[in-house]
Amino acid sequence: DAGITQSPRHKVTETGTPVTLRCHQTENHRYMYWYRQDPGHGLRLIHYSYGVKDTDKGEVSDGYSVSRSKTEDFLLTLESATSSQTSVYFCAISESPSGGKTDTQYFGPGTRLTVL
Amino acid sequence: SQKIEQNSEALNIQEGKTATLTCNYTNYSPAYLQWYRQDPGRGPVFLLLIRENEKEKRKERLKVTFDTTLKQSLFHITASQPADSATYLCALVWYGQNFVFGPGTRLSVLP
């Protein structure tokens, strides 16, 4: 998985609780992404980052926030989890260190989140 | 907004046959089109990339075509094997924009 780890790998939480997912890379690449994957929808972009403290919204950003204080870590936070946020979350990085939006992406192993 | 469709949700074929998966899109053509493989419980893995000015790309038993007139890409796996069973995703990339992934096709190669 190209030096990408995600934690936790599985999480069950209750509606209304805050949740933070972590993505860690050992590649020192500039671009990092958070996606969610749901049946019938494929992968949908939540947020992405193009550098430390530089982030932007994706297609389905409502209810999510992100932070990137170090090149290697990209955090996804659900401020108040809802059942509609039950999903599998994938982190990805660009293929090359300075790669941009058109660069091939390498994905982490995913985090399965269940919100009861 | 762009809409991407991938042929059926699931495709079953016999071992040794050629599997053909389709990826159709609306509106304007992307700069790149990529294909990824995803196994259950794992993240997608990049397979092939084809640019808008390329008609065909090959890698071992894989072949991708890109027809901007039909707004379609075809992904072929020749001499398919049970180990090729997975979900295959197409991803479209337009200059300056983020990837847009299709919903995927789950391929099952039956022995």
Side-chain angles (χ1 to χ4, degrees):
Chain A
D1 292 318
I4 308 169
T5 56
Q6 293 183 231
S7 59
R9 294 294 314 279
H10 301 271
K11 186 170 182 66
V12 179
T13 191
E14 295 192 349
T15 298
T17 60
V19 176
T20 295
L21 308 183
R22 179 180 182 242
C23 177
H24 178 80
Q25 62 156 325
T26 59
E27 311 295 323
N28 206 35
H29 289 188
R30 182 180 169 203
Y31 273 74
M32 298 184 75
Y33 306 84
W34 275 109
Y35 291 90
R36 61 178 289 174
Q37 187 173 40
D38 305 286
H41 287 280
L43 286 159
R44 292 181 291 174
L45 183 65
I46 306 171
H47 282 279
Y48 68 99
S49 170
Y50 47 97
V52 173
K53 296 192 186 338
D54 292 323
T55 65
D56 205 350
K57 296 179 180 180
E59 177 189 358
V60 291
S61 59
D62 286 349
Y64 301 94
S65 62
V66 291
S67 65
R68 191 166 178 201
S69 58
K70 298 185 290 184
T71 299
E72 59 266 34
D73 289 325
F74 192 30
L75 304 181
L76 176 71
T77 298
L78 290 66
E79 302 290 348
S80 178
T82 67
S83 58
S84 65
Q85 293 176 311
T86 292
S87 187
V88 181
Y89 291 85
F90 287 100
C91 174
I93 66 171
S94 55
E95 179 186 33
S96 57
S98 58
K101 291 181 179 180
T102 57
D103 209 15
T104 298
Q105 294 183 11
Y106 289 132
F107 286 82
T111 294
R112 182 172 294 276
L113 176 67
T114 302
V115 184
L116 302 175
Chain B
S1 63
Q2 282 283 351
K3 184 176 179 182
I4 302 173
E5 292 180 344
Q6 292 192 238
N7 50 332
S8 52
E9 189 176 315
L11 180 65
N12 296 326
I13 64 165
Q14 282 304 126
E15 182 176 6
K17 300 292 187 184
T18 295
T20 299
L21 285 65
T22 63
C23 177
N24 296 293
Y25 58 92
T26 59
N27 301 339
Y28 48 97
S29 290
Y32 301 84
L33 197 149
Q34 301 190 2
W35 284 88
Y36 289 76
R37 169 183 172 140
Q38 185 174 22
D39 292 290
R42 301 180 70 93
V45 174
F46 170 72
L47 296 175
L48 280 170
L49 176 153
I50 188 164
R51 294 179 172 82
E52 59 180 333
N53 60 349
E54 297 174 322
K55 294 288 188 189
E56 182 179 298
K57 269 285 188 66
R58 291 175 184 262
K59 179 182 176 182
E60 298 173 352
R61 294 184 296 111
L62 309 180
K63 184 178 82 171
V64 174
T65 63
F66 191 8
D67 188 325
T68 55
T69 301
L70 294 178
K71 298 187 178 180
Q72 181 181 77
S73 174
L74 298 180
F75 178 79
H76 305 275
I77 306 175
T78 58
S80 60
Q81 305 165 1
D84 294 326
S85 298
T87 296
Y88 292 86
L89 310 172
C90 66
L92 277 61
V93 186
W94 289 266
Y95 288 114
Q97 298 185 36
N98 292 302
F99 280 39
V100 178
F101 283 87
T105 295
R106 188 173 65 252
L107 174 67
S108 297
V109 181
L110 308 173

